[in-house]
Amino acid sequence: MRGIRLAFGAAERFAPALGGRRAALLWCTPPHGRGRRRDDRPALPSRHDTLSTGHGRRLAVQSWGPERAAPVYLVHGWGGWRGQLGRHVEPLVATGHRVVAFDSPSHGDSGPGVLGPHRSTAPEMVDALTDVVAHYGAPAGILAHSLGCATSLVALSDGLPAAPLAFVAPAADPLARIGEFTAALGAGERVEAALRRRLEALGGRPLADFAVTEWAAPQRPPLLVVHDRDDRETSYEQGRQLAERWPGGELTTTTGLGHLRILRDAAVIDRVTGFLTSR
């Protein structure tokens, strides 16, 4: 780590553009810890597809339930995959819905993103949801986790059909920590500015699009936010603010479940299922 800090400190002084490009590679590398690969998919008959998208990506998609039923989409977060959300499948199928889950580029079983294997971007996650919905049909609901919440809202602002939203541990302002990230690398404001420019160039859109606590798009479907006070990855305040600023938004607060265990808590699953299927 000392060598990295020295290198980025030098880039801050002499080559901030190069430092920004190198920092972008690190920023765009999702974590792949053991807990994130947890597989909670049910032992129900399912269909596995490989979707080739207009964005040149290969997405792994899995679905359960009647193919003609209205689909509920499961959207994982940064470094996640569809298996993390598997505890929600059976209750949703039991209500008569089709459930469609997918892996974003460089996540789970999907192919690489624009930066190659093991790297991805938030705009690619937006495109993945848009492409899957275009193929499988307008949503009856969307259940998203962490960064998947912000990318779902961006897709909605891009024209995705509106549907009830259940957001678990939402990262409602995922780019707020860029300054902390560059400081941890040993860089400063010049590399941070170059990093922001590089991320906007890669994604083809302003970073401000992902600060969804300030989201002002005209579509405001019913929203449920479920967030744990002890979440160490996405601040509880982000979820609380998103729910409070959303007209009619509902907030369910938990304690002691953190960022990942909240996905398989029975009470949370019941709350999410009831919310999505009663709309």
Side-chain angles (χ1 to χ4, degrees):
M1 187 62 185
R2 183 171 182 271
I4 292 176
R5 289 182 60 83
L6 288 173
F8 275 99
E12 175 71 21
R13 295 180 61 190
F14 303 113
L18 176 61
R21 293 180 70 89
R22 296 289 176 84
L25 292 178
L26 296 175
W27 179 266
C28 294
T29 302
H32 291 287
R34 183 172 56 187
R36 295 179 181 273
R37 189 62 189 186
R38 182 184 175 95
D39 190 353
D40 285 324
R41 292 173 295 173
L44 292 178
S46 65
R47 173 174 173 170
H48 293 259
D49 296 317
T50 300
L51 180 62
S52 297
T53 76
H55 296 93
R57 306 285 176 260
R58 180 181 56 81
L59 303 178
V61 186
Q62 187 173 0
S63 59
W64 298 260
E67 291 193 9
R68 293 188 178 182
V72 173
Y73 291 93
L74 308 185
V75 185
H76 67 73
W78 187 243
W81 78 301
R82 67 190 190 279
Q84 286 179 315
L85 301 162
R87 291 281 184 95
H88 292 264
V89 171
E90 195 164 2
L92 289 167
V93 170
T95 65
H97 286 85
R98 186 184 192 189
V99 177
V100 179
F102 64 95
D103 296 331
S104 288
S106 292
H107 289 75
D109 300 319
S110 287
V114 67
L115 291 172
H118 311 300
R119 292 193 172 99
S120 189
T121 68
E124 284 182 326
M125 296 175 71
V126 175
D127 292 340
L129 174 58
T130 301
D131 290 334
V132 170
V133 169
H135 185 83
Y136 291 91
I142 295 174
L143 164 60
H145 176 238
S146 194
L147 181 61
C149 303
T151 57
S152 295
L153 282 185
V154 174
L156 194 62
S157 70
D158 285 349
L160 194 79
L165 307 170
F167 286 173
V168 180
D173 191 1
L175 298 169
R177 301 177 68 178
I178 284 184
E180 295 178 22
F181 173 76
T182 52
L185 293 176
E189 293 180 356
R190 299 177 73 200
V191 167
E192 179 184 344
L195 169 59
R196 289 178 177 273
R197 291 193 296 271
R198 176 60 174 162
L199 293 177
E200 290 188 334
L202 286 171
R205 65 190 312 150
L207 296 184
D209 286 358
F210 293 90
V212 295
T213 51
E214 307 298 333
W215 199 63
Q219 295 188 86
R220 295 278 184 149
L223 171 68
L224 168 68
V225 173
V226 183
H227 214 139
D228 193 83
R229 292 187 183 276
D230 301 319
D231 192 328
R232 295 183 179 180
E233 293 194 36
T234 61
S235 165
Y236 170 76
E237 285 303 304
Q238 289 191 33
R240 184 188 64 78
Q241 289 177 17
L242 178 60
E244 287 185 353
R245 295 175 184 178
W246 194 275
E250 300 180 28
L251 173 66
T252 295
T253 300
T254 64
T255 304
L257 296 176
H259 191 66
L260 295 177
R261 283 192 295 127
I262 195 171
L263 290 173
R264 53 186 187 272
D265 179 77
V268 170
I269 293 169
D270 287 346
R271 179 75 174 98
V272 166
T273 301
F275 179 84
L276 289 176
T277 59
S278 65
R279 263 62 184 175

